[in-house]
Amino acid sequence: NYCLVLSNTGIRIGEARTLTWQNIRIEPVADSDDLTVIFNVSGKTGAREVVASRYEVLEYLQRVKALYDNPSPDDLVFAHPDGSSIRSFKKSFASLTQYVGVEFNSDGDRHTIYSLRHTYATFRLGENVSVYALSKNMGTSIRMIERFYGQNRTPDQAAELTKMRNLNRT
């Protein structure tokens, strides 16, 4: 559930470490049965609101909440049974990636928990989320997104870049 939340929000590890139940709110999506999950996080770049990419994040959070006996709003979301902060998921994540056979990326580097933030960004760009909206949601600069993900061209980018050529054919 921790991995699913991080890969669908792009929040940093430190932001997840300090996330409490009161930092999460659910809002209905206009003209839809879907819900939007919004996190209020504070970390490296200050406080910001993070919109989860999928409403299923609510399900992941409910599974986490079910592990605790009626947590209070100021309890940590990702905590030990006694409520204390889990300092690191490194060993668990390494075991998980090894177990499912995705221990290394295409360059041969070991995946880390921070890889989930990269997964989030790559998927959002592939879904044509604007670089501006993505940078605001992730709490990072457009320059950083372009630096790390600029090589990921989407089919819609190709259509956008050839728009004039296509208009001339009609």
Side-chain angles (χ1 to χ4, degrees), residues 2 13-19 76 78-80 83-91 113:
Y2 176 80
I13 298 162
E15 294 166 343
R17 188 177 295 129
T18 60
L19 186 67
L76 295 170
F78 302 107
H80 290 288
S84 63
S85 177
I86 297 173
R87 299 308 304 161
S88 176
F89 281 97
K90 280 184 183 180
K91 289 180 184 177
I113 295 172

Side-chain angles (χ1 to χ4, degrees), residues 38 48 68 70 95 122:
I38 301 171
R48 72 180 191 289
Y68 304 99
N70 197 25
S95 294
T122 301

Side-chain angles (χ1 to χ4, degrees), residues 24 38 49-50 54 70 77 154:
I24 301 167
I38 301 171
E49 286 192 336
V50 175
R54 303 173 55 85
N70 197 25
V77 173
T154 67

